[in-house]
Amino acid sequence: MTSDRRRRAAPGAVLALIAASCILAAPARGAETVSEPAAGPAAEAPIRVEVVRAQPRPVRRVLALTGEIAPRDSLDVAFPMGGRVLSVSRDKGERVRAGEELARLDAIQQEQALRAAQAALEAAEADHRRAQTEFRRQEALLERGASTRVRRDEARRAYFVARAGLERARAELDRARKALSDAVLRAPADGLVIERLIEPGEVVGAARPVMTLALGDAIDAVFQAPETAPTGVPEALEVTLHPLSDPSIRHAGKVRRISPLVDPRTGTVEVKVAVEPPHQGLGFGDPVRAIVSQTLPERISLPASALSALGRSAAVWVADPASGRVAIRPVALSGFADGRIILESGVEPGELVVVAGAQLLYPGRRVVLSEVTE
């Protein structure tokens, strides 16, 4: 009986529970319904960004390089033959005059060859005199009929052979003298020894440089510039040079030569700057720093903080004051200078470019513009 009563009451309990849940879920009278804000850029508050007005202006490019002092004209001197170095007469930093001895090779073999050539010449001269005398005697005898034409012809042939032998002996003597003189290395011109590459007792080969001479007083500052650095730099451009040992000293110079070739090993271009006299305080091999200033045609330049990226291209954010929105614009860069970017194209004069706050931007975002002066 009790179990039947419980089964009959079950449907009513279920209905009561449903009604109670509906009452709890219904909003109270007078309560407001709160909805989520709509997602999207239109619902976001505009942010404040700093902008500058793009204006063309002259661009001053400053290029700083470090190089070393080198002679304008230099010459490597070497022995024309190989041998053992007997003595070295000059050292690095010494001045030499044309014809002065620089170094000497052991010349025992050359001296022996010279004495042998002198002895051979004396023998050849004696043979030549004897053959000449015999030829003249046979000529005289033939005229008087006391000799035959065959003997006269033999005497003449012997004379010609002796004369050729004399010429050959003289040539051998000249070669022996030249070989002996080649054992002494002499300065070909006035100059300064800037490099000594041999020591006494060392064996050197023919034509191997043993010393380097600086000819004349003109000097250059030689620099290895990046491949793109010399682009558009005219020759004869004035340069200021500072020795690294004393940056307060200034020397004037002019760009004398820019190599048209790129060194394949270093990827650099050689730039030579002629140093104007006087050259006090500068020596060969001294490191110097060159500062090159160049004024380029007017271009739009912006603070480096304006630079962004669009894919693989450089870009800037351009603001429209009428709509209060921004757009990203790809640009072509001409270069960099003093914390600024120089534009080749992409921005027109008078446009507003974002220089601060770009990290929070996306195309079409509303902004509040705060124009700053440069």
Side-chain angles (χ1 to χ4, degrees), residues 84-87 199-203:
R84 185 175 65 86
V85 179
L86 186 63
S87 63
E199 296 296 335
E202 185 177 349
V203 177

Side-chain angles (χ1 to χ4, degrees), residues 77-91 101-108 110 182-186 196-211:
V77 292
F79 289 103
M81 63 180 187
R84 185 175 65 86
V85 179
L86 186 63
S87 63
V88 181
S89 305
R90 292 291 182 268
D91 203 352
E101 180 178 327
L102 301 178
R104 182 183 293 268
L105 293 178
D106 188 354
I108 295 179
Q110 288 74 21
D182 287 343
V184 179
L185 182 63
R186 300 186 182 276
R196 170 176 162 173
L197 305 173
I198 59 170
E199 296 296 335
E202 185 177 349
V203 177
V204 297
R208 171 192 163 185
V210 297
M211 283 188 184

Side-chain angles (χ1 to χ4, degrees), residues 12 18 24 26 30 42 46 53 65 76 93 109 128 132 182 233 293 348 354:
I18 293 174
L24 291 175
R53 193 170 298 274
L65 297 171
D76 290 333
Q109 294 181 354
H128 179 265
Q132 187 180 41
D182 287 343
V233 176
S293 298
E348 298 297 329
V354 177

